[in-house]
Amino acid sequence: MDMSKYREMFLSESREHLKKMSRLLIALEKNPADREGIDALFREAHSVKGMAASMGYERTAELAHHLEDLMDGFRSTGAVPPPAVDHMLEGLDLLEGLLGDVAAEHPEREVAGFIAGQGKTSPAPAADPPPRGREQAKAPAVEPEGKAETRGAEAARSWRIVATFAEGTVAPAARALLALRGLAALGTVTHSEPGEEALKKGASPRALEVRLQSGRAAEEIEKTLQAMSDIAEVSLVEVVEPAAAARTPRRGEGHRTVRVRTDLLDTFINLTGELLTSRYMLQAAAQAERWKDLSGGLDQLARLVTDLHHHVLQVRMTPLESITGRLPRLVRDLERKTGKQVALRIEGEEVELDRAILEELADPLVHMVRNAVDHGIEERGEVQVRATREKDLVLLEVADNGRGMDPEAIRRKAQERGLLSAAQARGMRERDLLQLVCHPGFSTAEQVTETSGRGVGMDVVKSAVESLGGSLEIQSQQGRGSRMLVKLPLSVAIIQILLVESDGFLVGLPITKVQRTLEVTREEIRSSGRQLVIRLGDEMLPLLSLRKILRQPNRPFGGGIQIVVSEIRGRRVGLVVDRLAGQREVFVKALEYPLNRLPGVSGATVLGDGSILFIIDPQTMLDERPAGVSAAAPGEAR
């Protein structure tokens, strides 16, 4: 019998069991005599064993059987000794590796060696937990999060490295080439800015930015660069995406399976039947020219389509729990690594989001929690992950009660990096300053560690959130902790947009990018240096022209000036548009080549009159052409 068609279902269900087992083990570590927890863990291992055996994955079944045997012994003794938790967690890591082998259609890896070491964790009478120091000494070395999953595939780690040359460096191109070749000796250079060809032609870089894939430790890479003359500063961050891509298939890759409640399927059948009936009623009414019946039939059709839309979305909705399951293990491992005591609280795991959003959100969430533990909490504290639903948005919050971020250190570092002038640094509000930690490669030196840092990878987090049509807000108070607030739409396919007109063309802005809209007069616009601004509350809001971003001709105008308040490059700005044309819910279709190469166009939708409306992201458009579009007077810009 061909069992391969059930493989995806097996993998999906097995991974759910492993997540539950991980949570149960972490809970048992704190309460070793929890009989219900022991029984539940036994059942989970038993389920994995049974499924693997029925699918013919012998080593997976063998390892699950081993874990099941251990738990059976603990059921007899009534408690799980602490060393057994470590062994069981190692077993879960190995099980995940086996599932990875199955997913990749590779032969299952060897498990006999792990099982042979069971004697050291054989069931034993419950004992008092050892002192923390001793426990740490016995514990296996904890690897950075995610490393266990990629054990044996160290080259998957990707680094973003920025080497800044000292003032007055002679022949910086030659220095940069030497640095580039030094890094190439440590791994694979996938990208550099400037590139090797540009350097050979005599480019004079102030800094060299490199993407390196390497299994070497951060310290070794950093030390290699610092040993080179004329390199004044080295910034090194681990990039999450490549490793994440190696672990989890992305949207649109391969075949997916999803479990659907039978009552939902029944609803689809009923709705389909009603749609068929409605179609024949409309055809009959049209043929007989019964216009009143036709109008009523269209109303009924609209209701059925709305119902169908609602229920189809339900199929794709998945509880947040599917990605928070690994957080307890993550925090537990970080506790071991750092010697800190961290209480993790998770609320709102039942909140549902589109499956595609959750897949993309998993790694940013892990990164924010890791940052909170590693750099927010000092010795003891709490990290809270909380999700709530607010109309068509989901608010996901990662907060800690640790040391918080130092805005002055960020301000200072931003000036040193040349991101801000002295005047800009003085005038920037604290909220905007905190957003600078999302600038690629930005970090304060004392905050950078091997695993994370404020700013280390936060650009990846922000980019991932914004690619989903969401937004990231950072709040922090020194001595009282930090709070990352992510706002996400429920679905990436059907979203709310704001229609705006520019030079006679309608375009759509995702409503999650819009903070508010307002109308001002020409007299309310002021000049601040070369920047045009308006006063909005207690802040001066810089203005950008959508016409200029879209490279449309300027045009003077009169009357009220329509403005969309949004966030671009971490700062609140006022986007000047010709006209606000309303808000609506649309189905966004991805663009095919070559239209998918259009910078800043995230998709398109078809309006009721058949015209195509592009959904745009002004920030991405600006990123593609950073010069010459800073701001302009509405009159000048249009």
Coordinates of all heavy atoms in Angstrom, one line a residue, residues 113-174:
G113 N 22.5 4.7 19.2 CA 23.4 5.3 20.2 C 22.7 6.1 21.3 O 23.0 6.0 22.5
F114 N 21.6 6.8 20.9 CA 20.9 7.5 21.9 C 20.2 6.6 22.9 O 20.2 6.7 24.1 CB 19.9 8.4 21.2 CG 18.9 9.2 22.2 CD1 19.4 10.3 22.8 CD2 17.7 8.7 22.5 CE1 18.6 11.0 23.7 CE2 16.9 9.3 23.4 CZ 17.3 10.5 24.0
I115 N 19.6 5.6 22.3 CA 18.8 4.6 23.1 C 19.8 3.8 24.0 O 19.4 3.5 25.2 CB 18.0 3.7 22.2 CG1 16.9 4.4 21.5 CG2 17.4 2.5 23.0 CD1 16.1 3.6 20.5
A116 N 20.9 3.6 23.5 CA 21.9 2.8 24.4 C 22.3 3.6 25.6 O 22.7 3.0 26.6 CB 23.1 2.5 23.5
G117 N 22.1 4.9 25.6 CA 22.5 5.7 26.8 C 21.4 5.8 27.8 O 21.5 6.7 28.7
Q118 N 20.4 5.0 27.7 CA 19.2 5.2 28.5 C 19.5 4.8 30.0 O 18.8 5.3 30.9 CB 18.1 4.3 28.1 CG 18.4 2.8 28.1 CD 17.2 1.9 27.7 OE1 16.1 2.1 28.3 NE2 17.4 1.1 26.7
G119 N 20.6 4.1 30.2 CA 20.9 3.7 31.6 C 21.0 4.9 32.5 O 20.6 4.8 33.7
K120 N 21.6 6.0 32.0 CA 21.9 7.1 32.9 C 20.6 7.8 33.3 O 20.5 8.6 34.2 CB 22.8 8.1 32.2 CG 22.3 8.7 31.0 CD 23.3 9.7 30.4 CE 22.8 10.3 29.1 NZ 23.7 11.2 28.5
T121 N 19.5 7.5 32.5 CA 18.2 8.2 32.9 C 17.2 7.2 33.2 O 16.0 7.4 33.1 CB 17.8 9.0 31.7 OG1 17.6 8.2 30.6 CG2 18.7 10.2 31.4
S122 N 17.6 6.0 33.6 CA 16.6 5.0 34.0 C 15.7 5.5 35.1 O 16.2 6.3 35.9 CB 17.3 3.7 34.4 OG 18.0 3.2 33.3
P123 N 14.5 5.1 35.1 CA 13.6 5.5 36.2 C 14.2 5.3 37.5 O 14.8 4.3 37.8 CB 12.3 4.7 36.0 CG 12.4 4.3 34.5 CD 13.8 4.2 34.2
A124 N 14.1 6.3 38.3 CA 14.7 6.2 39.7 C 13.7 6.9 40.6 O 12.9 7.7 40.2 CB 16.1 6.9 39.7
P125 N 13.8 6.6 41.9 CA 13.0 7.2 42.9 C 13.2 8.7 42.8 O 14.3 9.2 42.5 CB 13.5 6.7 44.2 CG 14.1 5.4 43.9 CD 14.7 5.6 42.5
A126 N 12.1 9.4 43.0 CA 12.1 10.9 42.9 C 13.1 11.4 44.0 O 13.1 10.9 45.1 CB 10.7 11.5 43.1
A127 N 13.8 12.4 43.6 CA 14.8 13.0 44.6 C 14.6 14.5 44.5 O 14.1 15.0 43.6 CB 16.2 12.5 44.2
D128 N 15.1 15.1 45.6 CA 15.1 16.6 45.6 C 15.9 17.1 44.4 O 17.0 16.5 44.1 CB 15.7 17.1 46.9 CG 14.8 16.7 48.0 OD1 13.6 16.5 47.8 OD2 15.3 16.6 49.1
P129 N 15.4 18.1 43.7 CA 16.2 18.6 42.6 C 17.6 19.1 43.1 O 17.7 19.6 44.2 CB 15.4 19.8 42.1 CG 14.0 19.6 42.7 CD 14.2 18.8 43.9
P130 N 18.6 18.9 42.4 CA 19.9 19.3 42.8 C 20.0 20.8 42.8 O 19.2 21.5 42.1 CB 20.8 18.7 41.7 CG 20.0 18.6 40.5 CD 18.6 18.3 41.0
P131 N 21.0 21.4 43.5 CA 21.2 22.8 43.4 C 21.4 23.3 42.0 O 21.9 22.5 41.2 CB 22.5 23.0 44.3 CG 22.6 21.8 45.1 CD 22.0 20.7 44.3
R132 N 21.0 24.5 41.7 CA 21.0 25.0 40.4 C 22.3 24.9 39.7 O 22.5 24.5 38.6 CB 20.5 26.4 40.3 CG 20.3 27.0 38.9 CD 19.6 28.3 38.9 NE 19.3 28.7 37.6 CZ 18.3 28.2 36.8 NH1 17.5 27.3 37.3 NH2 18.2 28.6 35.6
G133 N 23.4 25.2 40.5 CA 24.7 25.2 39.9 C 25.1 23.8 39.5 O 25.7 23.6 38.4
R134 N 24.8 22.8 40.4 CA 25.1 21.4 40.1 C 24.3 20.9 38.9 O 24.8 20.2 38.0 CB 24.8 20.5 41.3 CG 25.2 19.1 41.1 CD 25.5 18.5 42.5 NE 24.3 18.5 43.3 CZ 23.4 17.6 43.4 NH1 23.5 16.5 42.6 NH2 22.3 17.6 44.1
E135 N 23.0 21.4 38.8 CA 22.2 21.0 37.7 C 22.7 21.5 36.4 O 22.8 20.8 35.4 CB 20.8 21.5 38.0 CG 19.8 21.2 36.9 CD 18.5 21.8 37.1 OE1 18.2 22.2 38.3 OE2 17.7 22.0 36.2
Q136 N 23.2 22.7 36.5 CA 23.8 23.3 35.2 C 25.0 22.5 34.8 O 25.3 22.3 33.7 CB 24.1 24.7 35.5 CG 22.9 25.6 35.4 CD 23.2 27.0 35.5 OE1 23.8 27.4 36.5 NE2 22.9 27.8 34.6
A137 N 25.8 22.1 35.9 CA 27.1 21.4 35.5 C 26.8 20.1 34.8 O 27.5 19.7 34.0 CB 27.9 21.2 36.8
K138 N 25.7 19.5 35.3 CA 25.4 18.2 34.7 C 24.6 18.3 33.3 O 24.7 17.4 32.5 CB 24.5 17.4 35.6 CG 25.2 16.8 36.8 CD 24.3 16.0 37.6 CE 25.0 15.3 38.8 NZ 24.1 14.5 39.6
A139 N 24.0 19.4 33.2 CA 23.2 19.6 32.0 C 24.1 19.7 30.7 O 25.2 20.2 30.8 CB 22.4 20.9 32.1
P140 N 23.6 19.2 29.6 CA 24.4 19.3 28.4 C 24.5 20.7 28.0 O 23.6 21.5 28.3 CB 23.6 18.5 27.4 CG 22.2 18.5 28.0 CD 22.3 18.5 29.4
A141 N 25.5 21.0 27.2 CA 25.7 22.4 26.8 C 24.5 22.8 26.0 O 24.0 22.0 25.1 CB 26.9 22.5 25.9
V142 N 23.9 23.9 26.2 CA 22.7 24.4 25.5 C 23.1 25.2 24.3 O 23.9 26.1 24.4 CB 21.8 25.3 26.4 CG1 20.6 25.8 25.7 CG2 21.4 24.5 27.7
E143 N 22.6 24.8 23.2 CA 23.0 25.5 22.0 C 22.0 26.6 21.7 O 20.9 26.6 22.2 CB 22.9 24.5 20.8 CG 23.8 23.3 21.0 CD 23.5 22.2 20.0 OE1 22.4 22.0 19.7 OE2 24.5 21.6 19.5
P144 N 22.4 27.6 20.9 CA 21.5 28.7 20.6 C 20.2 28.1 20.0 O 20.3 27.1 19.3 CB 22.3 29.5 19.6 CG 23.7 29.2 19.8 CD 23.7 27.8 20.3
E145 N 19.1 28.8 20.2 CA 17.8 28.3 19.7 C 17.9 28.1 18.3 O 18.4 28.9 17.5 CB 16.7 29.4 20.0 CG 15.4 28.9 19.9 CD 14.9 28.7 18.5 OE1 15.3 29.5 17.6 OE2 14.2 27.8 18.2
G146 N 17.3 26.9 17.9 CA 17.3 26.6 16.5 C 18.5 25.8 16.0 O 18.4 25.1 15.0
K147 N 19.6 25.9 16.8 CA 20.8 25.2 16.4 C 20.6 23.7 16.4 O 21.1 22.9 15.6 CB 22.0 25.6 17.2 CG 23.3 25.1 16.7 CD 24.4 25.6 17.5 CE 25.8 25.1 16.9 NZ 26.9 25.6 17.7
A148 N 19.9 23.3 17.5 CA 19.6 21.8 17.6 C 18.9 21.3 16.4 O 19.1 20.2 16.0 CB 18.8 21.6 18.9
E149 N 18.0 22.1 15.8 CA 17.2 21.7 14.7 C 18.1 21.6 13.5 O 17.8 20.9 12.5 CB 16.1 22.6 14.5 CG 15.1 22.6 15.6 CD 14.1 23.7 15.4 OE1 13.6 23.9 14.3 OE2 13.8 24.4 16.4
T150 N 19.2 22.3 13.5 CA 20.0 22.3 12.3 C 21.3 21.7 12.6 O 22.3 21.9 11.9 CB 20.2 23.7 11.8 OG1 20.8 24.5 12.9 CG2 19.0 24.4 11.3
R151 N 21.4 20.9 13.7 CA 22.6 20.2 14.0 C 23.1 19.4 12.8 O 22.4 18.7 12.2 CB 22.4 19.3 15.2 CG 23.7 18.7 15.8 CD 23.3 17.9 17.0 NE 22.9 18.6 18.1 CZ 21.7 18.5 18.6 NH1 20.9 17.6 18.2 NH2 21.4 19.2 19.7
G152 N 24.4 19.5 12.5 CA 24.9 18.8 11.4 C 24.7 19.6 10.1 O 25.2 19.2 9.0
A153 N 24.2 20.8 10.2 CA 24.0 21.6 9.0 C 24.4 23.0 9.4 O 23.7 24.0 9.2 CB 22.6 21.6 8.5
E154 N 25.6 23.2 10.0 CA 26.1 24.5 10.5 C 26.2 25.5 9.4 O 26.0 26.7 9.6 CB 27.5 24.3 11.1 CG 27.4 23.4 12.3 CD 26.8 24.1 13.5 OE1 26.4 25.2 13.4 OE2 26.7 23.4 14.6
A155 N 26.4 25.1 8.1 CA 26.6 26.1 7.1 C 25.3 26.9 6.8 O 25.3 27.9 6.2 CB 27.0 25.4 5.8
A156 N 24.2 26.4 7.4 CA 22.9 27.1 7.2 C 22.9 28.4 8.0 O 22.0 29.2 7.7 CB 21.7 26.2 7.6
R157 N 23.8 28.6 8.9 CA 23.8 29.9 9.7 C 24.3 31.0 8.8 O 25.3 30.8 8.1 CB 24.6 29.7 10.9 CG 24.1 28.7 11.9 CD 25.0 28.7 13.1 NE 24.7 29.8 14.0 CZ 25.4 30.0 15.1 NH1 26.3 29.2 15.5 NH2 25.1 31.1 15.9
S158 N 23.5 32.0 8.8 CA 23.9 33.1 7.9 C 24.2 34.4 8.8 O 23.5 34.6 9.8 CB 22.7 33.4 7.0 OG 23.0 34.5 6.1
W159 N 25.2 35.1 8.4 CA 25.6 36.2 9.2 C 25.6 37.5 8.3 O 26.0 37.4 7.1 CB 27.1 36.1 9.7 CG 27.3 34.8 10.5 CD1 27.7 33.6 10.1 CD2 27.0 34.7 11.9 NE1 27.7 32.7 11.1 CE2 27.3 33.4 12.3 CE3 26.5 35.6 12.9 CZ2 27.2 32.9 13.6 CZ3 26.4 35.1 14.2 CH2 26.7 33.8 14.5
R160 N 25.2 38.6 8.9 CA 25.3 39.9 8.2 C 26.4 40.6 9.0 O 26.3 40.8 10.2 CB 24.0 40.7 8.3 CG 24.2 42.0 7.6 CD 23.0 43.0 7.9 NE 21.8 42.5 7.1 CZ 20.7 42.1 7.7 NH1 20.6 42.2 9.0 NH2 19.7 41.8 7.0
I161 N 27.4 41.0 8.2 CA 28.6 41.6 8.8 C 28.8 42.9 8.2 O 28.8 43.1 7.0 CB 29.8 40.7 8.6 CG1 29.6 39.3 9.1 CG2 31.1 41.3 9.2 CD1 30.4 38.2 8.5
V162 N 29.1 43.9 9.1 CA 29.4 45.3 8.6 C 30.8 45.6 9.2 O 30.9 45.7 10.4 CB 28.3 46.3 9.0 CG1 28.8 47.7 8.5 CG2 27.0 45.9 8.4
A163 N 31.7 45.8 8.4 CA 33.1 46.2 8.8 C 33.3 47.7 8.4 O 33.2 48.0 7.2 CB 34.2 45.4 8.2
T164 N 33.5 48.6 9.4 CA 33.6 50.0 9.1 C 35.1 50.3 9.2 O 35.8 50.0 10.2 CB 32.9 50.8 10.1 OG1 31.5 50.4 10.2 CG2 32.9 52.3 9.8
F165 N 35.6 51.0 8.2 CA 37.0 51.4 8.1 C 37.3 52.7 8.9 O 36.4 53.6 9.0 CB 37.5 51.5 6.7 CG 37.4 50.3 5.9 CD1 36.3 50.1 5.0 CD2 38.3 49.2 6.1 CE1 36.2 48.9 4.3 CE2 38.1 48.0 5.4 CZ 37.1 47.9 4.5
A166 N 38.5 52.8 9.4 CA 38.9 53.9 10.2 C 39.0 55.2 9.3 O 39.2 55.1 8.1 CB 40.2 53.7 10.9
E167 N 38.8 56.3 9.9 CA 39.0 57.6 9.2 C 40.4 57.6 8.6 O 41.4 57.3 9.2 CB 38.7 58.8 10.1 CG 37.3 59.0 10.6 CD 36.4 59.5 9.4 OE1 36.9 59.9 8.4 OE2 35.2 59.3 9.6
G168 N 40.5 58.1 7.4 CA 41.8 58.3 6.7 C 42.4 57.0 6.3 O 43.6 56.9 6.0
T169 N 41.7 55.9 6.2 CA 42.2 54.6 5.7 C 42.7 54.8 4.3 O 42.0 55.3 3.4 CB 41.1 53.5 5.7 OG1 40.7 53.3 7.1 CG2 41.7 52.2 5.1
V170 N 44.0 54.4 4.1 CA 44.6 54.5 2.7 C 44.1 53.2 1.9 O 44.1 52.1 2.5 CB 46.1 54.5 2.9 CG1 46.8 54.5 1.5 CG2 46.5 55.7 3.7
A171 N 43.8 53.5 0.7 CA 43.3 52.4 -0.2 C 42.3 51.5 0.4 O 42.4 50.3 0.6 CB 44.5 51.5 -0.6
P172 N 41.1 52.1 0.7 CA 40.0 51.3 1.4 C 39.5 50.2 0.5 O 39.1 49.2 1.0 CB 38.9 52.4 1.6 CG 39.2 53.5 0.7 CD 40.7 53.5 0.5
A173 N 39.6 50.4 -0.8 CA 39.1 49.3 -1.7 C 40.0 48.0 -1.5 O 39.5 46.9 -1.4 CB 39.2 49.7 -3.2
A174 N 41.3 48.2 -1.4 CA 42.2 47.1 -1.2 C 41.9 46.4 0.2 O 41.9 45.2 0.3 CB 43.6 47.5 -1.3

